[in-house]
Amino acid sequence: MEQGTFRVKAGLAEMLKGGVIMDVTTPEQAKIAEEAGACAVMALERVPADIRAAGGVARMADPTIVQRIMEVVSIPVMAKARIGHFVEAQILESLGADYIDESEVLTPADDKYHINKENFKVPFVCGAKNLGEALRRIGEGAAMIRTKGEPGTGNVVEAVKHIRMVMSEIRLLQNLPEEEVSAFAKNIAAPIELVKETRRLGRLPVVNFAAGGIATPADAALMMQLGCDGIFVGSGIFKSGDPAQRAKAIVAATTYYNDPKVLAEVSKDLGEPMVGIEISTIPANERMQERGW
Amino acid sequence: MVIVKIGVLALQGAFREHKKMLESCGAEAIEVRTTDDVNSVDGLIIPGGESTTIGKMMVDWGLLDTIKDRASHGMPIYGTCAGMILLAKDIVGSEQPRLGLMDICVRRNAFGRQVESFEADLHVAEFGTEPVRAVFIRAPYIESAGREVKVLAVVDEHIVIARQGNYLATAFHPELTQDDRIHKFFIGMVQESLGK
């Protein structure tokens, strides 16, 4: 019997595909998310929109919050650790969190290195803006990738930019003659073996979710049609007028992403979406997507 | 050999892997999301994923009754992990929606949380001497089974593969490995059901 193998870690992400992972800050919100059909929840102290508003240093959630949420739902519970903060990750693993998000939403704890994720039995998900960044994270042991987007904005434009970048780099890679592959790997600063595997598969070697700025069922379906395997919704649900209804609609839109009739139906009467932020109004040094390398 | 058309329930979960494996075994495979899809296939696989998510969507989109109806007319169904939970008559401590077609009582997340997930070699007489490499992810097991249920494999005395007539259930994920014996076995069940 072997635990913590890469197949077991990446396997849980495979099981989450086609589903919606929702940010929650209380057991009550976690129940609403599970009831609405979330395939997992992310246990947090504050959703990204509030982290953005509060400013200062954002850290791992209080373990009590993570534990109380684990107690009330039967679906997987994820939690966020700061980039490079392997002790926060050790703590979350010891609590029994099912996935750790080494996340740029929190303030990075290391300005040079990400966590060595191979040292853990718990699997990790990491953000990426392009193929090189995704493959570097997988090279460090990440078993799942998500787009970075710009968290807490309710503005999907950055997530779209990032998935388009990853997909177009993969298409380019697939069309290269063999002898140019190693130079391509060098240019994007990614491990050559993972570049070759991506070329062979025609997709990332692990599951790739959308995250950052998704606020409506149409946003979720857009990301799915662009080639994502599933959806993270951060502030978009519990910062909206009717969280339960919106959560359910986004779940349906993630499954029926190719059916505009269903999308029209589930988009009706959802109440107020979260208030969005235009990206150009956020100073460059406050953009979370620039964290990590 | 008759080419059978097998649907993979594609509401949420690892449907892509099942589809790929069925195709590599020579079956025709489609993703199933609507009642029309359910009515167009000879057999159905319910993949791993979140059983609560899949169950709710089966109810919301009218698939639960259609699948039960097809099953009552002999359509074979194979459930992996969440699929096994959805096939079960009883689920320990849960009222969640289910098909309830197999006379089994299933415990969810029975081996523990993700850090306890594991791989192991199973010896299954039906599939020959070569062991089956089984990947268990927050997996359930069958706590008890009725007399009609045939137990095919156990881990630590817990049932992890079972068959009852046209229904097959595994607590683990053959679709995450290269071993296609269980899929071939299920394709055989579907061919047999068409011959009747």
Side-chain angles (χ1 to χ4, degrees):
Chain A
M1 201 181 273
E2 274 183 277
Q3 294 182 325
T5 62
F6 192 74
R7 185 152 62 182
V8 163
K9 291 175 173 178
L12 178 55
E14 301 288 349
M15 298 309 138
L16 298 171
K17 284 200 310 264
V20 182
I21 301 167
M22 302 181 192
D23 278 5
V24 297
T25 57
T26 64
E28 294 70 32
Q29 288 184 354
K31 288 301 281 182
I32 291 172
E34 185 177 47
E35 241 354 270
C39 67
V41 291
M42 177 77 70
L44 292 170
E45 207 156 300
R46 281 182 289 204
V47 296
D50 290 336
I51 290 174
R52 186 176 288 286
V57 174
R59 309 178 180 89
M60 172 187 82
D62 184 324
T64 309
I65 293 177
V66 180
Q67 266 174 330
R68 285 177 59 212
I69 288 168
M70 281 170 41
E71 278 161 18
V72 299
V73 293
S74 64
I75 57 180
V77 176
M78 301 184 167
K80 287 188 198 288
R82 280 181 269 176
I83 289 174
H85 207 315
F86 51 87
V87 174
E88 284 188 349
Q90 289 164 4
I91 292 170
L92 293 171
E93 182 179 50
S94 81
L95 294 175
D98 294 298
Y99 239 96
I100 294 178
D101 184 0
E102 186 183 17
S103 178
E104 68 282 1
V105 168
L106 306 181
T107 311
D110 190 318
D111 67 344
K112 289 192 181 64
Y113 306 108
H114 284 249
I115 297 171
N116 177 6
K117 293 164 272 286
E118 282 172 5
N119 283 344
F120 290 81
K121 250 163 64 175
V122 63
F124 281 76
V125 55
C126 288
K129 300 191 296 291
N130 53 48
L131 182 59
E133 196 174 2
L135 296 182
R136 285 194 292 281
R137 295 294 86 77
I138 298 167
E140 295 157 359
M144 179 177 182
I145 293 293
R146 54 172 175 72
T147 62
K148 283 186 162 175
E150 188 56 36
T153 60
N155 189 342
V156 79
V157 64
E158 299 300 298
V160 168
K161 191 197 287 179
H162 300 159
I163 187 66
R164 279 204 182 274
M165 178 58 102
V166 169
M167 300 308 264
S168 92
E169 285 175 297
I170 292 173
R171 282 188 290 267
L172 179 68
L173 171 61
Q174 281 192 290
N175 287 305
L176 288 181
E178 195 73 48
E179 66 271 20
E180 292 180 20
V181 172
S182 115
F184 179 90
K186 181 170 177 265
N187 284 337
I188 66 167
I192 179 73
E193 288 313 315
L194 291 173
V195 170
K196 285 184 181 167
E197 196 182 348
T198 303
R199 175 176 156 96
R200 186 174 58 77
L201 294 169
R203 58 174 174 81
L204 286 182
V206 301
V207 166
N208 182 21
F209 267 48
I214 293 146
T216 67
D219 288 349
L222 173 67
M223 296 307 294
M224 294 297 287
Q225 286 198 26
L226 285 171
C228 289
D229 295 318
I231 304 290
F232 278 94
V233 188
S235 320
I237 289 172
F238 290 99
K239 284 284 163 194
S240 74
D242 185 349
Q245 195 61 23
R246 183 165 295 265
K248 208 172 165 185
I250 292 177
V251 169
T254 302
T255 294
Y256 295 99
Y257 63 90
N258 259 332
D259 189 336
K261 284 202 178 82
V262 171
L263 296 175
E265 204 49 48
V266 302
S267 297
K268 287 178 185 165
D269 305 321
L270 293 181
E272 279 296 306
M274 73 176 281
V275 178
I277 303 174
E278 163 54 35
I279 305 296
S280 63
T281 65
I282 306 170
N285 63 354
E286 286 176 22
R287 291 183 197 167
M288 293 171 174
Q289 60 181 283
E290 303 305 335
R291 298 167 168 176
W293 28 91
Chain B
M1 180 180 126
V2 200
I3 294 193
V4 292
K5 182 173 171 184
I6 297 179
V8 184
L9 192 65
L11 298 176
Q12 192 271 318
F15 47 86
R16 180 169 74 196
E17 287 66 30
H18 276 295
K19 188 166 173 259
K20 226 162 98 186
M21 195 160 248
L22 286 168
E23 282 164 349
S24 77
C25 293
E28 185 188 344
I30 67 158
E31 292 178 8
V32 167
R33 290 191 180 83
T34 66
T35 52
D36 285 349
D37 294 338
V38 175
N39 286 320
S40 78
V41 296
D42 305 317
L44 183 70
I45 290 183
I46 305 177
E50 264 314 306
S51 63
T52 52
T53 305
I54 300 172
K56 279 184 191 108
M57 296 197 80
M58 279 166 84
V59 174
D60 288 352
W61 300 91
L63 297 170
L64 193 85
D65 290 334
T66 312
I67 294 170
K68 273 177 152 166
D69 183 58
R70 287 296 314 277
S72 71
H73 291 92
M75 178 180 73
I77 304 178
Y78 168 33
T80 54
C81 194
M84 175 168 108
I85 295 167
L86 291 160
L87 280 171
K89 199 166 277 174
D90 294 307
I91 306 170
V92 177
S94 174
E95 299 297 318
Q96 68 192 84
R98 71 202 68 174
L99 292 162
L101 295 166
M102 286 181 81
D103 188 11
I104 54 177
C105 175
V106 165
R107 180 177 290 276
R108 291 182 60 202
N109 304 331
F111 293 98
R113 302 192 72 93
Q114 174 62 15
V115 282
E116 274 100 34
S117 293
F118 63 98
E119 305 185 20
D121 285 329
L122 298 183
H123 292 276
V124 190
E126 268 74 3
F127 306 134
T129 49
E130 180 76 17
V132 173
R133 186 68 176 170
V135 184
F136 292 85
I137 295 171
R138 287 173 48 95
Y141 60 63
I142 298 173
E143 208 159 70
S144 60
R147 244 179 300 166
E148 306 288 303
V149 178
K150 190 176 177 201
V151 174
L152 302 184
V154 295
V155 167
D156 295 340
E157 296 175 13
H158 303 302
I159 304 168
V160 294
I161 313 180
R163 179 181 179 180
Q164 180 181 356
N166 278 328
Y167 311 128
L168 178 69
T170 63
F172 57 91
H173 299 282
E175 77 282 7
L176 294 182
T177 69
Q178 304 301 316
D179 189 340
D180 59 10
R181 283 175 290 173
I182 297 177
H183 285 78
K184 283 185 172 146
F185 183 78
F186 180 63
I187 291 170
M189 284 170 60
V190 177
Q191 284 166 336
E192 206 177 296
S193 79
L194 292 178
K196 274 178 194 165

